[in-house]
Structure formats: structure tokens, C-alpha cells
Amino acid sequence: MIVTHKYFLKFPKCETETPIVYHLVKDYDLEVNIFRAKVTSEGEGYLVLDLKGKETKIAEALKYVASFGVSIDTIDKGVIRDDSLCTHCGNCLSHCKPKALHLADPVTRQIAFDENLCIACGRCIDNCPMKACSSLLE
Amino acid sequence: MKTYNQINEKISSGKAVVLTASEMKEYIEAHGVRKAAKDVDVVTTATFGPMCSSGCFLNFGHSKPKMRITACRLDGVPAYSGIAAVDCYLGATQLRDRDPANSNFPGKFDFGGGYVMEKLVRGEEIELTAYSYGTQDYPLRDLKTKFTIHDLNQAIMVNPRNCYQNYNVATNCSDKRLYTYMGQLEPKMGNLTYCSAGELSPLLNDPLYETIGVGSVVWLAGARGHVFSEGTQHCPTCERTDNDVPAEGAGTLALTADMKKMRPEFVRGCSFVGYGVSLALGIGIPIPVLNERIAKHLGVRDKDIRAQVIDYSTDYPLRTGNVLGTVTYEQLKSEVIEFKGKKITVSSMSSRYKALEICQLLKDDILKGNFLLSQPLSPLPKEQGMKQLTIRK
């Protein structure tokens, strides 16, 4: 069965020269969609990506990635929204292209966040006047 | 016809009919203006959004030995001390000393006056550092201590301009992103942003200032406060559409209330990347339904309120006066708007969600009988333009 899952891969300081994403595509026949990536000068880094492919292949691929000491998280840590800080002004609405941040109710204009739609672009973090959106990745 | 006294007597005896602005509009649509004017005593209006022209006077009490404070910092944010010995005025948009501001554009603006005001209302501890040139009667020259709002004699919010009657809508016709107080504006009219509570907004429900005047009672962030003056830039002489609704900025209010009685969820420090810091405030104003004309004005709907779309890449900063066009708040509240043949997504800086909450909280306060109305001591100016600054050589 073909499925799509979002993963948060955190790379430790890593000496490997192996092009991991290349192998995910070539050896495991996966479609890789990278939303966010960062590598620090110390060689640590992270990737937020979607993996699309056969469920069994994804499982094998994750084992392969883990063999490099990479920590894998299925919970999307791209963006965290703190509802207690949100004033529901709606400034985020035109900045969130995938509409993860959306109107829960057009009458009250309460804002809701659908993590599954979030591509962790970070535009809400930069735009929220109340700092209701943040990221562990920054 | 009703009088303030009659309405206050009804409030005190628990017999007043109080509706929120939304409820009143529905009531008018269902029963007509005449019946609404007869049946309803008070309508609660509200707004919640960034209001830069806000600040507070604080009195610290005297240290031992005494100090005539020349300059002070609250959590690093300078407060104006050019008044009496231990009084100061903290402004909402004041940055911390040595804040990098926009030196590495766009600046982040993590902290400032608005945030200190929020901390005050939360009852959190704030660091006070003060300097004085020293006098014989006030010898202390340096001071560093901590305080909360409970330690202060007074913390009085005094806002020169709140509750803009209407406001422009921002967009960006250039090909690069703009960082403004109306949020980030994406290139080539990539988005529109607005900042008004529209049909819930106090001055849009009393467009000719018939009930809201100097001395009117207001709900300022949960505290009972007052209109103490017309707001700065109050400009009632403007283009108005049907039902006397201004099509541009127009009227403003200067408000004051005791910060010790405020609720922190309605006093929020806020920040705009590339622009600066401010304060988002929640304000409610009760409107007495004295007569049919006032009731008619309370029936205003988002579809009846127009706002001017301004290009913030050239027309706004250069003050050309050019307007791209007008849109209604009903259009703005649909998520995508068609403007100049382009589908554009819309953002709001003003929270309808919070405004609805305030309308309800104020209604509850009035129904409980502990929020009486006050007749204005004097009306706001009804005819008055707005001057611009001419730079003279």
C-alpha cells in the first residue's frame, strides 16, 4: 500500500558522506518532499520531509536512516501553536499557504491549526504578533 | 425616547434589556428599528487589536532616601520621567535600550513597552533601574529594584488614541515583501490586511458620536474606564456612506482606566517583524439606545462599511493620498477577495473572536447591575479635519 508520512529527522554531528536522501529515492523507491532543512556549522542538522511509498519500504528506509544515528520523530515538530497565546486576530491566514492555520468558525473567526496540513514553512512564526507559533527547530 | 437616568435605573433594578452588537443587528433585522429602539436599552460594542497610541502613568512611591528620578528603565525599556519625582509614563511602542531594531533588517522586536504593560497587568515582577542627578531634598542618585503592580500607588492607563472609527486596508503593489504595522505584505498584491472590528466596533455603531463623548464609561481591558478626550487625529469630517458610516479613519477616542483592575488577556504586548512593538487592547463600549436614530445606527452591517485599500509600497509612505479602491468588511471577512481582477487572501490584525467575547463580558457586567452608563460631559467634535506636518526649511 502506498502511503505518505511526515517525519522529523534530527542529525547528530555526523561524519558520514553518504547521500542519505539519494538512497531513500534510489534504494527504497520513495518520493521525498523536503519542507525544511538546516545544517549547522557543527555538522548537526534536521530535515522535515514527507516520505511517500510502500509502507514496507518506508519502514526499511527508516531503519536505514536510523543506522546513521539519526533520531526520527513522526510527530511534526515543525511548528507548535500555543492556543493560550493566540488572540485569533487572523493575521496568519494569508501567510499559511497550505491552510493549516484556518478559520474554525467563520462567525466567531476562531483560528484552528491542523498539524497534518502544516509544511513547517515557518511563515506563521515570523508573522504572528503574539508569538503564538514557534518552532523547536529555530 | 429614553434618558440615561431611566436606563441606569433599569440596570440597577436588573430590568434592563441588554444586547450585544451582533444580537442587536439580528433583532433589528427581525423586528425593525422602531421596535428595537423601544425594547432594547443598551447595546455592547467592542474591539480588540493593536493600538500603538497607548501607555500608562506609574507612581512608584518614594524610596528611602528619596530620589527625584531623572530617567528610568522598566525591564530595560525607558519610561518618560520628565514629570514629578517618582512618576513616569511608559509608552506601548518603546523599545529596550540597545535593541538592534532594524539594524539587521527585518528586525525581530522581541520586547518593548507593550510587553512591560502586559507583565504589569499579569502581576509579574519588573526590574526598575533609575538614575538621578541628585538634589538636596532628593539625594539618591542610582536605584535598582524589583516591583509588581501591587507595589505601585497608581498604574493608570492613559491612551491618546484608541478605537479608530474605521481604518484603511493595506496591500503591496511592489515586487518585494513589505514589513509594516499592518503585518507583512506580500509582493504584487499577494495579500490584504485590515484592522477593524467592523460591525462590532464602538464608533461604527455610533457614527455621529451621539452617545460616546468625553466622560462616557468604557470597558478598558476589563476595568471600568472613561473617554477623557477626543483621540488624537480625531477627524470626523470625512467621506461617509449610507447610515453616516465613515469610509475612512475618522473618529478616535482617548481612553483611561485603572490597570490594577484590568485582565491580562486583554492587555497583550505584540510585535511586528521589521516594524516594532505595540500593545493589543480589548475595549468595550456600551451604547444606550436613547432613540430610533441611535437604534438605526446600531443596525450597521459589515456589508455597509467600506474601507479604502492603500498601497503601502508607495502611496502610504509617500502620503500621495492615492486610494486603490474600496472594499466592504463583508468582503474582507470572506477568506479570498476579488480586487482589481485578482483573487487575494486576506489577513486581519483585529480579533473578531475577542471582540465578541468582550461584547458578552460587558453585557454580563451590565446585567449584573454593576456597570452603569454615564452621560457624556461634553460631545466629541463633529466637524474637524486633520492637519499634516509641513517640513519647513
Side-chain angles (χ1 to χ4, degrees):
Chain A
M1 197 174 75
I2 303 290
V3 293
T4 306
H5 287 308
K6 191 184 285 179
Y7 295 98
F8 169 59
L9 308 181
K10 195 168 177 213
F11 291 78
K13 189 175 173 181
C14 188
E15 301 298 329
T16 181
E17 295 289 309
T18 314
I20 293 174
V21 172
Y22 165 81
H23 285 288
L24 292 180
V25 177
K26 188 155 189 304
D27 302 346
Y28 299 93
D29 198 22
L30 300 179
E31 269 182 52
V32 180
N33 190 4
I34 299 172
F35 299 126
R36 261 181 124 188
K38 189 173 182 176
V39 182
T40 68
S41 53
E42 289 79 42
E44 295 169 331
Y46 65 78
L47 271 177
V48 181
L49 44 67
D50 261 355
L51 295 180
K52 184 180 174 188
K54 278 189 187 154
E55 237 174 338
T56 50
K57 289 284 187 192
I58 289 179
E60 286 170 31
L62 291 178
K63 260 186 210 163
Y64 165 74
V65 172
S67 71
F68 294 96
V70 173
S71 74
I72 301 164
D73 215 319
T74 51
I75 305 161
D76 178 25
K77 287 187 177 161
V79 170
I80 299 155
R81 176 174 166 277
D82 184 343
D83 193 58
S84 72
L85 294 176
C86 178
T87 63
H88 306 273
C89 66
N91 181 37
C92 51
L93 292 174
S94 72
H95 301 287
C96 183
K97 296 299 173 200
K99 299 192 189 303
L101 288 155
H102 60 277
L103 286 178
D105 176 351
V107 176
T108 67
R109 297 185 75 80
Q110 183 173 17
I111 303 293
F113 179 51
D114 184 346
E115 277 184 352
N116 297 320
L117 295 176
C118 177
I119 57 168
C121 67
R123 291 294 295 139
C124 54
I125 299 168
D126 207 27
N127 271 283
C128 180
M130 300 297 162
K131 301 188 177 100
C133 292
S134 60
S135 170
L136 291 179
L137 307 180
E138 292 299 319
Chain B
M1 288 284 280
K2 300 184 202 100
T3 67
Y4 279 88
N5 281 342
Q6 286 166 344
I7 290 174
N8 277 340
E9 276 166 26
K10 280 176 137 185
I11 293 172
S12 300
S13 59
K15 286 178 189 151
V17 176
V18 185
L19 297 185
T20 66
S22 310
E23 290 165 345
M24 180 63 164
K25 290 166 207 312
E26 283 167 21
Y27 198 86
I28 289 171
E29 276 160 24
H31 305 286
V33 167
R34 180 169 286 186
K35 186 165 163 52
K38 194 165 161 279
D39 294 351
V40 183
D41 298 309
V42 185
V43 173
T44 59
T45 62
T47 182
F48 181 99
M51 301 192 204
C52 291
S53 248
S54 299
C56 56
F57 283 102
L58 308 179
N59 178 282
F60 300 111
H62 286 284
S63 57
K64 191 175 177 180
K66 286 185 178 177
M67 181 175 192
R68 206 222 72 88
I69 295 174
T70 307
C72 73
R73 306 277 181 273
L74 307 175
D75 278 348
V77 180
Y80 180 74
S81 302
I83 39 180
V86 290
D87 283 331
C88 75
Y89 184 80
L90 173 68
T93 69
Q94 187 71 52
L95 299 180
R96 263 184 302 211
D97 275 346
R98 291 184 292 279
D99 188 296
N102 265 340
S103 51
N104 185 14
F105 190 79
K108 283 203 180 309
F109 301 101
D110 280 329
F111 195 77
Y115 289 88
V116 177
M117 290 170 77
E118 179 180 338
K119 281 184 75 175
L120 268 171
V121 175
R122 281 190 193 285
E124 289 176 18
E125 213 166 55
I126 291 163
E127 185 188 76
L128 167 68
T129 53
Y131 141 84
S132 171
Y133 53 75
T135 67
Q136 288 179 316
D137 41 355
Y138 294 93
L140 192 65
R141 284 166 181 265
D142 280 295
L143 177 153
K144 183 175 175 179
T145 184
K146 288 186 171 168
F147 71 97
T148 72
I149 194 167
H150 310 297
D151 300 317
L152 300 175
N153 287 312
Q154 283 78 26
I156 311 168
M157 191 179 277
V158 177
N159 305 337
R161 181 170 71 253
N162 289 162
C163 289
Y164 236 124
Q165 193 162 18
N166 196 347
Y167 213 77
N168 66 58
V169 176
T171 195
N172 171 12
C173 295
S174 79
D175 53 13
K176 65 174 189 208
R177 179 182 290 158
L178 296 176
Y179 297 84
T180 77
Y181 70 93
M182 292 291 279
Q184 293 178 31
L185 302 172
E186 300 299 329
K188 294 175 184 157
M189 293 205 294
N191 59 348
L192 290 178
T193 65
Y194 70 94
C195 188
S196 169
E199 66 181 24
L200 302 178
S201 189
L203 288 178
L204 285 171
N205 281 283
D206 183 11
L208 300 177
Y209 329 110
E210 288 170 288
T211 70
I212 303 173
V214 176
S216 289
V217 68
V218 301
W219 186 102
L220 183 49
R224 189 184 154 90
H226 290 92
V227 177
F228 69 86
S229 165
E230 66 185 85
T232 52
Q233 295 179 21
H234 177 72
C235 177
T237 305
C238 66
E239 192 195 324
R240 289 175 189 258
T241 56
D242 293 348
N243 211 6
D244 306 313
V245 177
E248 53 189 315
T252 69
L253 299 175
L255 303 181
T256 183
D258 182 359
M259 285 177 89
K260 293 192 182 199
K261 295 182 177 137
M262 290 185 183
R263 295 172 53 166
E265 63 268 41
F266 299 106
V267 184
R268 297 288 306 279
C270 57
S271 159
F272 300 92
V273 170
Y275 178 77
V277 297
S278 188
L279 181 75
L281 266 182
I283 296 163
I285 302 187
I287 295 181
V289 189
L290 301 173
N291 55 48
E292 274 182 36
R293 196 176 57 246
I294 288 166
K296 182 168 177 277
H297 284 145
L298 286 161
V300 70
R301 281 292 196 177
D302 280 334
K303 65 177 165 48
D304 309 321
I305 311 168
R306 300 198 78 85
Q308 297 177 332
V309 182
I310 308 284
D311 175 14
Y312 272 58
S313 70
T314 56
D315 295 326
Y316 185 87
L318 300 178
R319 214 189 86 201
T320 66
N322 188 40
V323 174
L324 295 176
T326 66
V327 292
T328 68
Y329 282 94
E330 185 183 48
Q331 286 175 289
L332 290 167
K333 280 167 187 168
S334 60
E335 288 180 60
V336 180
I337 192 168
E338 186 133 353
F339 185 72
K340 303 262 173 209
K342 199 171 181 270
K343 285 197 163 79
I344 309 174
T345 56
V346 183
S347 275
S348 166
M349 315 304 296
S350 175
S351 171
R352 177 174 163 90
Y353 181 81
K354 286 271 185 197
L356 287 169
E357 188 184 351
I358 294 164
C359 285
Q360 190 60 48
L361 287 168
L362 178 54
K363 176 182 167 176
D364 294 344
D365 278 350
I366 297 169
L367 287 175
K368 277 183 229 150
N370 51 15
F371 203 103
L372 295 180
L373 308 191
S374 56
Q375 185 160 3
L377 303 168
S378 61
L380 298 176
K382 287 189 176 68
E383 297 283 333
Q384 182 170 289
M386 186 160 125
K387 295 185 175 74
Q388 305 291 358
L389 177 65
T390 303
I391 301 174
R392 295 182 183 135
K393 295 228 165 145

